[in-house]
Amino acid sequence: MTENSVRERLDYAESLNNGRGKVAVLDDAVRQADLLGDGPLQYDARMELISALYYVDGAEQTLTHFAWVLKHFDGHREDFDWFGTVSLMWKYKWVLNAAQKFPQVPLSRVRELHADFARRVREEGMGARTVPYFGMQLAQHLGDHEAARAQFSLWQYTGRDVLSDCEACEAHSLVEYHAFQGQEERAVRAAAPILAGRETCAHVPHITHAALLAPLMRLGRWAEAAEQHRLGAPLVKGDDSLISSQAEHLAYLGAARRFGEAASWYDLHARDALSTHEPDRQLEFHAGAAVYLHALARSKTATLPVKSPGPAHATAATLADWHEAGARALAARFDARNGTDWQTRRLESVLALADLTPV
Amino acid sequence: MTHTFAVDLRGLIDLLSEHLYGGPEVFVRELLQNGVDALRARESLGLPADAALTFTLGSHEGVPTLTFRDTGVGLTEAEVHSFLATIGKSSKRGQTDFIGQFGIGLLSCFVVSDQIELVSRSAHGGPAVRWEGRSDGTYSLSPAPGDTPVGTCVQLRAKPGREEYFEYAALLGWVRQYGALLPCPVRVQDASHDVLANQDGAPWRQEYASPELRREALMRYGEEIIGTTPLDVIDLTSAAGQLDGVAFVLPWTPSQNARGQHRIYLRNMLIGDERSQLVPDWAFFVRAVLNSNALRPNAARDALHQDEAHTQASLGIGEALRSYLMTLQREQPQRLRQLIGLHYLSIKALAAEDDAFFELFVPWLPFETSFGRLTLPEFLERAPEVRYVGDLNLFRQVAQIEGVQGRGVVHAVYTYDEELLRRYAAHHPEIEVRRLDAQELSRDLGGLSAAELARVGPLLEAAREALEGHGVRVQVGRFQPAELASLYLPHDNFARTLSRTREAVGGGLWGGLLGDLSAEQSVPQPELHLNLSNALVLRAATLQDGPVLRRVVGMLYVQALLLGHHPMTGRELRLLNEGMIELIAWTLEANASSALSMN
């Protein structure tokens, strides 16, 4: 095994489709690079791995490998040109998103991370727009509407540069922001360019269709919700980097009383979704499943999912309760970490979808 | 009399040339489309015997020209004004029969020509009219000669730099491409040629003397389409979308970018030679030529409008391809194996992502297993559940353990294998599909009797002391091959990665962050298995001496890490270092004292 053979592995990995297979190959390449102890090779292999982790359930690993990468970068600053810096800073953005997903990471640590990122933005002279952009997303996670509004203005005001999220992602964030501020109508309108096919990227419009489901249901626009489900479900089906979107579709199917389809969707996704290492996604899935199963229990129809990931021989009602309990426990952990009650309140508004009457 | 277009023509032309899908040659399609629409409109009035579309190349004062003639319904002066004066006027007003917009279609000609001359006489009656439009936005209208036949004639003059679009071979190629399926004759002429471009029409619609001859003809057509002999040809029909056509099975796997290059015709006019979502994405291993008489084009007419009918039609195609594969499985399994063999990696890749495809192919995909190369259904005949090893490195180690093999293990170590198994598990919740972890594997490593366990007590004690703080559980077992003294089984590679990275990163913000993450790793400890079948381990088990035994265990641990290709932490490296030095020292001492005693 030599540096060349590891580099060949990295090249081979590039030709693979995104997914666990690619991650497994790159994981092995990192291990081999570590055995060689070749710093630049270890760096490159990890950077490739981090890119591939974006497409799977990989936040924990991203944080871990990024820690190494950052340390190497700081210790060998002179080896990196502008492109190398952009590449690193781009991944730092993913890290900002990843860190808040773990309730065992204290809020002070998350804020330190944002501060460290902001410092580097100043020093490297790139990414000014991303600072309020991620600040806004953190504020949304905390349920701080005022802070989110302030960061939103700053974000909209600052010019785009090489580090800004692509226009499609930014367009999607706009939709999420309006939904967060309780402005469902505006959220739906903001999605127009995405739905018209003018803004697309790796996960957009995949996540946008899903994000519109709840607002549309709350606005009573069930036909449009059905259309968003029709368009979005095939895009997120079976993709374990899109568990939150799968959960949103599950909640829709339950609230719309499409129980047969909900059961299939649940059977296909529950196992992987609940074994995810990302607590926020697990929370979303528990919530979506609870909506579906509460609606099912109340309707007193017979279709149940084949395999219960929870208690054996569960009825719809007991399984719904199990999911709700799971969701509440996670929401409570986040709230305890955040010092607010927002995650629980947000969960309750999701659970309330089961009470809506489809038209 | 000179009039002006109601919009900025220059700007529109620039816009068109930027955004025309497929390049400036699209004007050929537009002219054909207008001609086809005009012929159709005239049909309702009774088509003349010489219904035809003709492209004639010539030159005028040294400038190449192209004249396109149709014997269709023609235009009255009022219609000319109406269509051409307001570009962008929707075809919905009045001419709903037309699938094209006459105005926009003609506009595409301005990309290759600065001047368009249109002479037309309407089948509805009235005088013939001559329209001359220029790219500066002006146009003029005047009477045309009295003997102008019913129909329309459009003449273009090559713009500087666009002469290549007026070359015979190129034009013939485009006309063939766009118009191959048209039912009316389409001729391409110049001074020395006069060819019926769509002579053959759609080969799958012709009559043949026998099925063998039909297949031969279709395979030859396939060679033209894909550039080499196809593996097979499939007839495709679907009531949804009123589709008919053929698909050719490719003898190579196209790269991601080269997929989906199907030829889609709409009412016998080529709508796109580029990506079409009519043929499902998963059918990357075919190239299709399809005609639909019922689907709708998008506004630009360069792709199909994706509505419910389109979805249904796509499903219909999927069904047809699926039933082809099923038939192949039943009647020509060799050919199916050949197809899978050729497209193996891509089939796996796609099956890992696409449900429909997965369900279709998974019963036929071979996996490496401890029983040999089997499909999953075959494997499940020999074992009640699917246990798999997903980690290449782990596989390297357990591959040698006999006990593990006996109970049936799938070696899901090739790319996409694990994804396929996970998807299989999702689709078949009634079948147990489990990734093997250290705990399970260790159960396959033979246990010891109560007496033996008692005898190895001191060994285990020493092991625990020696490896304290390394976060590993020590077990003693008995397994084959005997040469393997010890085996290191991590339950989860990530836990080890996390602790190694923590060691490398040290303190600060990131050390703290990794510490936060470590706090919640609920993964069981990795296991070190010492093999009592191994002579060395057996001897070590009889040792009483504390420090020596501890040192031996430490070295067996490090050896297991090395054999397992596990990068070591600083601490483990120190253990290796110190261990080697001490063992060397003891050996030298032992030699020295025996040398002394010999004297």
Side-chain angles (χ1 to χ4, degrees), chain A residues 1-12 28-34 36 41-42 45:
Chain A
M1 184 188 53
T2 59
E3 188 202 329
N4 267 344
S5 64
V6 180
R7 293 233 174 251
E8 271 169 36
R9 277 312 263 177
L10 294 180
D11 281 340
Y12 167 65
D28 206 55
V30 166
R31 190 185 52 78
Q32 290 181 32
D34 282 351
L36 286 170
L41 186 61
Q42 290 171 281

Side-chain angles (χ1 to χ4, degrees), chain A residues 9 12 16-21 25 28 31-32 34-35 60-61 63-68 70-71 92 95 102 104-106 109 112-113 116 230 237-238 240 267-268 271-272 277 306-307 333, chain B residues 256 306 308 311 345 349-350 353 355 392-393 396 415-416 419 422-423 425-427 429 431-433 492 494 497-498 500-501 504-505 508-510 512-514 516-517 520-521 564-567:
Chain A
R9 277 312 263 177
Y12 167 65
L16 300 174
N17 285 0
N18 287 312
R20 284 171 186 269
V25 171
D28 206 55
R31 190 185 52 78
Q32 290 181 32
D34 282 351
L35 282 173
E60 236 182 350
Q61 294 175 76
L63 286 169
T64 306
H65 290 297
F66 189 78
W68 192 99
L70 194 62
K71 179 153 176 128
Y92 208 138
V95 159
F102 298 97
Q104 65 268 40
V105 178
R109 188 94 61 201
E112 252 191 277
L113 218 55
D116 185 61
R230 179 182 82 86
K237 191 174 182 189
D240 62 4
D267 273 338
L268 193 59
R271 197 167 141 153
D272 283 350
H277 291 222
V306 172
K307 224 177 176 191
R333 283 201 67 192
Chain B
Q256 290 251 239
Q306 300 210 36
E308 190 57 30
T311 309
L345 199 59
L350 212 45
E353 293 177 0
D355 267 351
L392 181 59
N393 198 30
R396 274 192 216 115
T415 322
Y416 309 123
E419 273 155 319
R422 289 168 62 96
R423 195 165 274 261
H427 281 252
I431 295 181
E432 192 65 44
V433 176
D492 180 328
F494 176 64
T497 303
L498 181 53
R500 276 196 310 118
T501 310
V505 165
L509 167 60
W510 282 89
L513 180 60
L514 295 184
D516 299 331
L517 288 180
E520 285 214 4
Q521 295 300 311
H565 298 271
H566 295 285

Side-chain angles (χ1 to χ4, degrees), chain A residues 206-238:
Chain A
H206 312 44
I207 54 179
T208 314
H209 293 303
L212 289 171
L213 291 168
L216 285 169
M217 285 193 277
R218 290 188 187 114
L219 288 168
R221 286 149 71 165
W222 291 86
E224 286 171 72
E227 181 65 7
Q228 292 308 311
H229 170 75
R230 179 182 82 86
L231 292 168
L235 300 177
V236 308
K237 191 174 182 189

Side-chain angles (χ1 to χ4, degrees), chain B residues 566-587:
Chain B
H566 295 285
M568 290 194 271
T569 63
R571 200 168 166 187
E572 287 159 352
L573 280 169
R574 276 194 299 281
L575 188 63
L576 170 61
N577 233 8
E578 289 161 8
M580 287 202 65
I581 289 172
E582 200 166 30
L583 285 174
I584 292 171
W586 287 339
T587 311

Side-chain angles (χ1 to χ4, degrees), chain A residues 267-282:
Chain A
D267 273 338
L268 193 59
H269 297 113
R271 197 167 141 153
D272 283 350
L274 295 175
S275 60
T276 176
H277 291 222
E278 299 184 21
D280 63 328
R281 288 178 173 175
Q282 221 180 80

Side-chain angles (χ1 to χ4, degrees), chain B residues 304-381:
Chain B
L304 293 171
H305 180 52
Q306 300 210 36
D307 54 13
E308 190 57 30
H310 183 276
T311 309
Q312 290 306 315
S314 187
L315 289 172
I317 300 280
E319 263 321 298
L321 289 169
R322 216 166 263 129
S323 109
Y324 161 75
L325 290 167
M326 297 301 202
T327 310
L328 218 56
Q329 157 73 344
R330 269 196 323 271
E331 298 171 12
Q332 299 183 71
Q334 178 67 336
R335 191 167 256 150
L336 179 65
R337 272 199 291 280
Q338 191 186 18
L339 194 154
I340 292 180
L342 266 172
H343 298 285
Y344 190 60
L345 199 59
S346 308
I347 288 176
K348 276 182 139 180
L350 212 45
E353 293 177 0
D354 182 306
D355 267 351
F357 192 76
F358 175 83
E359 278 176 79
L360 184 56
F361 274 96
V362 80
W364 306 322
L365 291 177
F367 284 83
E368 295 298 331
T369 79
S370 53
F371 302 132
R373 216 154 183 248
L374 299 172
T375 64
L376 282 177
E378 285 168 347
F379 180 83
L380 284 166
E381 279 167 27

